[in-house]
Amino acid sequence: MATQQKKRVAVIGAGAAGMSCATALAKHPDKFTVTLIDSVGQTGGQATSLDLDPKQHGASWLNDGVQGGSGIFKHTFRFFSRYGFSPHEVKLQVSFGKGPDAFFTNVFPSPLVDSFAAEIRKLGRVLKVIKYFLPVLGIVPVKVILKLFRFSTEFGNRMLLPLLALFLGTGNQTPNISAALLERLMNDPQMGLWTYDPDGLLTNLPTMYTFPRLSEFYHAWSTDLEQGKGVRLLLSTTVDIVSRKSGPGGIVLMFHAREGERTESFDELVLATPADESLKLLGRHATWRERYVLGGVKFYDDVTITHSDAAYFNSIFETRFRDELCSDRITSASAKRQDQLSFATTSPPVCETNGWRGFAPMYFMHSYESEQDKIEMGFDCSNYQHQFREAVGEGNAPLAPERHVYQTIFLDKERSDLWTKDAIDKNKVIGEKWWHQFGHRWQHYLRVVPGMMFVNGENSTVFAGAWTLVNMHEIACISGIAAAYRLGATYEEFDDFATGLFSKYLLLSHGVRYKPQDKKRT
């Protein structure tokens, strides 16, 4: 009996999706030979780290792209664990808006919360309606839901949309996301970040997880793939698709690297690259379905400035507790509200293992006065990322504000006329990075997401990346594993929730049902 010939698989893109795909394929050395390719000199994609001066900032590094996630990041955390890395818990504190009339937080009640009390309660009723009519209302953009149920523009811009932007990373495109995401994030106890509160919209301190030093993690991961798992890793290498058709050897790629040019043939192709880059790679070989589905992904160019300009950061965000930021109804409020006030007014804040006691916000957002549906975002990384808390030590106060590391995120280069970027002291800029981010428009969930199953597998090509569903590191990992599964790799079950999320993604993006017995395939 003839031995089955191994499939030659080319995986283009060495971010979370491509790395996950290569890992799943590499578990079957008898079935696949894997080549992992990226145009840049390191793996990880947008998961990058910056070096810092520890004497100035208290820590020697900073994750400046992907920073953390929620408890649903099961596959991500499992990859961390394999290479001796761990996520770290943090109780998330947010600060939205500037000034008493525009500010709210999840840490204590504010006058803005009082002013929108009726609309906050109405939102609870609307969430139930969306859930009941999910097949119809689920694809409707949030901005339409807000108008349909007659919410005020101010409530949407100042409270609801910032919350969604925080969890999904959707920025100025948040009004265009589907209502299904709103309902799931508020009602699903496993998917949701915030616990909906009819009295205050959000009053909990949700547990988030900050990531380990991603540059070291991805280096360890790629070293294991190359040296331990037999994956051929080609970095600083670009490719052109010479020909593409189904069948053995039907994928012919031309490689461009320092050593010169060469062509090779493969049996399967995985494009773990952004949709627009995938279309560019496919070029004239793209089918009409691929052009329609992938062409529906809209990208925006954003820039993140990492800096230590405390004066600038304090001028645009609320970073410290002030009496005027707190609701005047707190004195007659419930014991829960009194506990919130006691927590918030710990001054100075005290470092704890999983965050801070006292108002020490980590994530910030405010709307531009001229266009309140456009936002500017920021991080106080010294409050958020665990390595800074470890440097301070449990029970101690934070570093002085001028020693903090901040990030301000400016969205959509086409609207750079709104940015306050030039106000940052250039002498305090640590780094500047541009990101090519896709927008979660409602069209994305009407055209792209349901269309993926009709393009995956066509002409021996499958696609992977967070853009296939929602912008999360976890979805990128799942998409890569699903691509490998589609090619014949197995899925190793390790957690019920993780298996459920994987199986849902596989069905949605590939039109393939996952069956538990499939894990026994060889």
Side-chain angles (χ1 to χ4, degrees):
M1 183 174 174
T3 303
Q4 183 180 4
Q5 187 173 1
K6 293 192 289 185
K7 287 185 179 180
R8 295 161 293 175
V9 183
V11 181
I12 302 179
M19 294 284 284
S20 300
C21 181
T23 300
L25 292 170
K27 292 176 182 175
H28 307 277
D30 58 324
K31 296 173 65 175
F32 306 104
T33 59
V34 184
T35 300
L36 179 60
I37 310 147
D38 205 295
S39 60
V40 298
Q42 71 282 331
T43 58
Q46 294 188 357
T48 57
S49 305
L50 272 177
D51 292 330
L52 298 176
D53 179 358
K55 293 181 179 179
Q56 171 62 27
H57 302 298
S60 61
W61 60 275
L62 167 82
N63 287 329
D64 64 334
V66 181
Q67 299 200 40
S70 71
I72 71 169
F73 282 40
K74 306 288 188 178
H75 298 85
T76 298
F77 296 167
R78 193 175 190 224
F79 283 126
F80 288 165
S81 178
R82 285 180 180 174
Y83 298 103
F85 295 84
S86 302
H88 296 258
E89 282 191 19
V90 59
K91 295 295 185 182
L92 185 63
Q93 298 188 32
V94 300
S95 173
F96 295 152
K98 179 68 175 175
D101 296 332
F103 165 83
F104 80 104
T105 176
N106 62 319
V107 184
F108 57 88
S110 68
L112 187 71
V113 170
D114 293 343
S115 67
F116 288 129
E119 293 190 83
I120 291 172
R121 290 192 294 271
K122 183 168 74 170
L123 177 64
R125 300 190 295 271
V126 171
L127 289 172
K128 293 178 181 178
V129 173
I130 296 173
K131 183 177 181 179
Y132 187 79
F133 294 103
L134 200 60
V136 177
L137 292 180
I139 62 172
V140 175
V142 169
K143 63 182 179 182
V144 174
I145 292 292
L146 290 172
K147 289 182 179 179
L148 181 65
F149 290 95
R150 298 188 176 183
F151 286 95
S152 68
T153 302
E154 291 76 14
F155 173 72
N157 289 341
R158 295 189 183 278
M159 295 202 73
L160 186 60
L161 296 179
L163 292 182
L164 295 175
L166 164 62
F167 190 83
L168 296 173
T170 45
N172 288 337
Q173 294 306 307
T174 304
N176 297 315
I177 69 170
S178 69
L181 287 175
L182 166 64
E183 191 278 329
R184 288 292 80 195
L185 293 176
M186 285 287 189
N187 281 339
D188 190 321
Q190 291 183 304
M191 290 294 293
L193 177 64
W194 307 111
T195 301
Y196 168 74
D197 184 344
D199 295 324
L201 186 57
L202 71 162
T203 57
N204 62 315
L205 295 175
T207 298
M208 293 285 283
Y209 295 85
T210 62
F211 288 171
R213 188 169 186 168
L214 290 173
S215 58
E216 291 186 351
F217 162 66
Y218 270 97
H219 177 72
W221 191 0
S222 60
T223 299
D224 178 58
L225 284 180
E226 187 173 28
Q227 299 180 8
K229 301 293 193 302
V231 172
R232 183 172 58 150
L233 181 61
L234 303 177
L235 300 178
S236 301
T237 302
T238 60
V239 296
D240 291 324
I241 297 176
V242 177
S243 64
R244 184 176 73 119
K245 57 184 179 180
S246 298
I251 306 294
V252 180
L253 303 179
M254 175 174 284
F255 293 83
H256 307 274
R258 296 189 190 96
E259 310 85 61
E261 297 181 346
R262 68 184 186 281
T263 59
E264 292 186 28
S265 62
F266 298 87
D267 306 311
E268 304 285 352
L269 176 65
V270 179
L271 290 179
T273 49
D276 56 350
E277 187 176 333
S278 295
L279 277 178
K280 184 177 179 181
L281 282 167
L282 291 171
R284 62 184 177 84
H285 304 288
T287 67
W288 70 267
R289 279 187 293 265
E290 289 168 337
R291 287 193 293 269
Y292 175 77
V293 175
L294 275 65
V297 185
K298 174 68 173 176
F299 285 86
Y300 299 85
D301 293 315
D302 308 330
V303 64
T304 296
I305 307 296
T306 304
H307 61 92
S308 59
D309 192 344
Y312 163 80
F313 204 79
N314 293 337
S315 72
I316 59 173
F317 299 119
E318 296 291 354
T319 62
R320 297 292 180 268
F321 179 85
R322 295 187 287 136
D323 288 339
E324 56 266 38
L325 298 178
C326 189
S327 168
D328 58 8
R329 302 180 188 179
I330 192 72
T331 55
S332 60
S334 66
K336 179 179 178 180
R337 296 290 193 263
Q338 293 290 348
D339 288 343
Q340 287 180 313
L341 183 61
S342 174
F343 176 93
T345 54
T346 300
S347 183
V350 176
C351 179
E352 297 182 335
T353 302
N354 60 355
W356 300 89
R357 180 169 186 83
F359 186 54
M362 306 153 186
Y363 192 104
F364 301 80
M365 192 180 300
H366 76 86
S367 300
Y368 295 107
E369 281 300 321
S370 58
E371 295 188 41
Q372 292 190 4
D373 61 337
K374 303 293 188 294
I375 61 175
E376 189 167 290
M377 302 189 299
F379 287 97
D380 185 332
C381 300
S382 299
N383 283 345
Y384 184 37
Q385 294 189 27
H386 64 275
Q387 68 273 21
F388 295 98
R389 297 197 306 277
E390 291 171 355
V392 169
E394 191 169 353
N396 294 313
L399 296 172
E402 59 271 16
R403 296 185 63 189
H404 280 216
V405 179
Y406 306 99
Q407 285 189 324
T408 312
I409 304 169
F410 302 95
L411 303 168
D412 189 3
K413 185 178 180 181
E414 293 181 0
R415 293 310 317 272
S416 60
D417 56 298
L418 297 170
W419 295 356
T420 60
K421 177 173 173 282
D422 292 339
I424 301 175
D425 186 341
K426 291 179 174 55
N427 294 320
K428 297 182 178 180
V429 172
I430 299 169
E432 177 176 321
K433 282 192 178 179
W434 285 87
W435 312 100
H436 193 54
Q437 304 278 21
F438 79 93
H440 301 66
R441 306 179 303 160
W442 66 269
Q443 296 96 326
H444 190 83
Y445 298 96
L446 186 64
R447 173 177 169 181
V448 180
V449 173
M452 290 306 302
M453 70 171 67
F454 299 105
V455 297
N456 270 321
E458 193 170 22
N459 291 331
S460 297
T461 304
V462 290
F463 301 90
W467 61 267
T468 59
L469 186 58
V470 66
N471 189 24
M472 293 181 184
H473 189 276
E474 177 69 2
I475 296 300
C477 290
I478 290 173
S479 72
I481 299 170
Y485 183 91
R486 182 70 183 272
L487 298 183
T490 58
Y491 176 74
E492 294 182 359
E493 295 185 13
F494 64 96
D495 177 273
D496 289 344
F497 177 81
T499 300
L501 191 56
F502 169 80
S503 61
K504 289 173 184 174
Y505 177 89
L506 184 69
L507 180 61
L508 181 64
S509 194
H510 291 268
V512 174
R513 290 187 179 276
Y514 170 71
K515 298 179 181 179
Q517 60 265 32
D518 287 350
K519 66 182 179 179
K520 299 178 182 178
R521 295 187 308 173
T522 57

